[in-house]
Amino acid sequence: PHELHFPSVADQLQWPSLLIIDWIEIERYSSEYTFLKEIGVRQAPELSVLVDRIVAQYHSTNQFHMCKELRFFAEHFQTDYS
């Protein structure tokens, strides 16, 4: 389950290739969500993968802007990456 993500992550980042659990309507504060989180379903992609996507966005446009991946990182740094 460590390679799976909650659907909200893929939705926020708009990554169609991100592996998600097939439970779109799962409630964030439900016992099922807590259980899936405890067994390894991810609330955020690995930092190295996220940084690679940010770098790829920069190289594809040759300009630095607040892409959705960078915004996700900024919003989730304290809870998921520190």
Side-chain angles (χ1 to χ4, degrees):
H2 296 298
E3 62 274 353
L4 294 175
H5 298 79
F6 286 104
S8 58
V9 176
D11 187 47
Q12 267 187 293
L13 292 170
Q14 299 173 356
W15 287 8
S17 61
L18 196 64
L19 297 175
I20 63 168
I21 60 168
D22 190 18
W23 193 345
I24 304 300
E25 296 86 23
I26 190 166
E27 295 291 327
R28 183 176 180 96
Y29 299 104
S30 68
S31 58
E32 293 88 353
Y33 187 98
T34 302
F35 172 73
L36 290 170
K37 185 175 153 189
E38 286 177 7
I39 64 169
V41 176
R42 301 179 63 90
Q43 293 180 294
E46 290 184 34
L47 182 57
S48 61
V49 173
L50 191 61
V51 169
D52 287 347
R53 294 283 297 226
I54 293 168
V55 170
Q57 284 289 332
Y58 171 77
H59 286 301
S60 71
T61 61
N62 266 345
Q63 60 183 354
F64 187 78
H65 64 284
M66 188 65 114
C67 61
K68 61 188 164 294
E69 292 86 358
L70 186 56
R71 186 174 297 111
F72 182 91
F73 175 72
E75 291 171 356
H76 294 88
F77 176 77
Q78 188 171 10
T79 58
D80 297 314
Y81 297 111
S82 63

